[in-house]
Amino acid sequence: MTNNPYDQSGFTVRLEWGPDGVAALADCPVVVIVDVLSFSTSVDIAVSHGARVLPLPWRDERAAAAAREAGAVLAGEDRWTLRPASLTDIPSGTFLALPSPNGATLTTLASGTVFAGCLRNAPAVAKAAGAAGGPVGVIAAGERWTHNDALRPSVEDLLGAGAIAHHLGGALSPEARAAEVAFLAHRADLPAVLAACSSGRELAEWGHAADVALAAAYGASTTVPRLTDGVYR
C-alpha cells in the first residue's frame, strides 16, 4: 500500500464510482463500466443482436456531428434510444451512436481493455475481464442529483458492480467486497429491488418499467461488449 488513502493496489479487483473513479483506477489495465439503468444494459442488448455501439458523452449537436462522421445512426433519431426496451429488435449490423451522460462518458474516459457490464451479462463479462490479465477496475457509474448534477451512488450500479466482482473472485478490495455482499444479499430478488429503488421508480413513473425488468434479468445474456477502436462490439 502507498500513503494514498484511496489506493487499492494489492487487490486484483477494485471498485470506484464515476469519473473520478476512472482516474483513481487508471493503473488497472482492464476496466468494466457498470451503468445498469441504462447504458450498459442497452449496450448489452444491442451487441447481443449483432449491432455495434459508438458511445457518446453528449446529447447535443456534437452527438449528431460525431454520428454523421462515424457513419452511425444516432439514438433518438430513429426508433432506437437509450432505453433497453427500444433495442430488443435492433437489426444485426446496425451501427448505433448512443449518447449517455454516465456510462458513455465513463467509457470515453477509460483506457486499456474496456468492457460494458451489467446484471444481465455479469458472469460472462467477469470471465472475459478476468482472462484479459492484470487488476480489474470496476467502475460503478451512479446517477446525478437533479438539483446540482453531483454524483449519486445508486443501488442498481452497486449490485451490478457487485455481481461482476463476485464472478471475478480473487483478491477483492474492501469496496469491491462490499458491493459483492450487497449483490449476494439481493441476488434472489433483483427485479423487486430494482423496481423499488429510486432509479427504478423514476423510470416506472416515466412509463419505462419494461426497461427496469430487462436490466434486472441477471445472467440472461452471454454477450461480452468490448470496446475496440472506440466502439462496443
Side-chain angles (χ1 to χ4, degrees), residues 29 68-69 163 190 201 207 210 220:
R68 285 194 302 270
E69 183 177 355
L190 288 169
R201 294 198 311 272

Side-chain angles (χ1 to χ4, degrees), residues 106-205:
L106 297 176
T107 297
T108 61
L109 295 174
S111 59
T113 302
V114 180
F115 299 97
C118 58
L119 286 166
R120 295 177 60 87
N121 65 15
V125 166
K127 182 178 180 180
V136 178
V138 182
I139 304 297
E143 297 292 344
R144 295 284 169 179
W145 290 106
T146 55
H147 64 284
N148 63 5
D149 201 40
L151 177 68
R152 175 177 68 81
S154 61
V155 169
E156 67 274 11
D157 292 341
L158 177 69
L159 297 177
I164 291 164
H166 174 66
H167 286 283
L168 278 166
L172 274 60
S173 71
E175 293 82 357
R177 182 73 67 189
E180 179 194 35
V181 169
F183 163 69
L184 292 175
H186 296 293
R187 183 176 184 173
D189 58 349
L190 288 169
V193 172
L194 261 65
C197 75
S198 297
S199 301
R201 294 198 311 272
E202 181 179 52
L203 286 173
E205 288 174 2

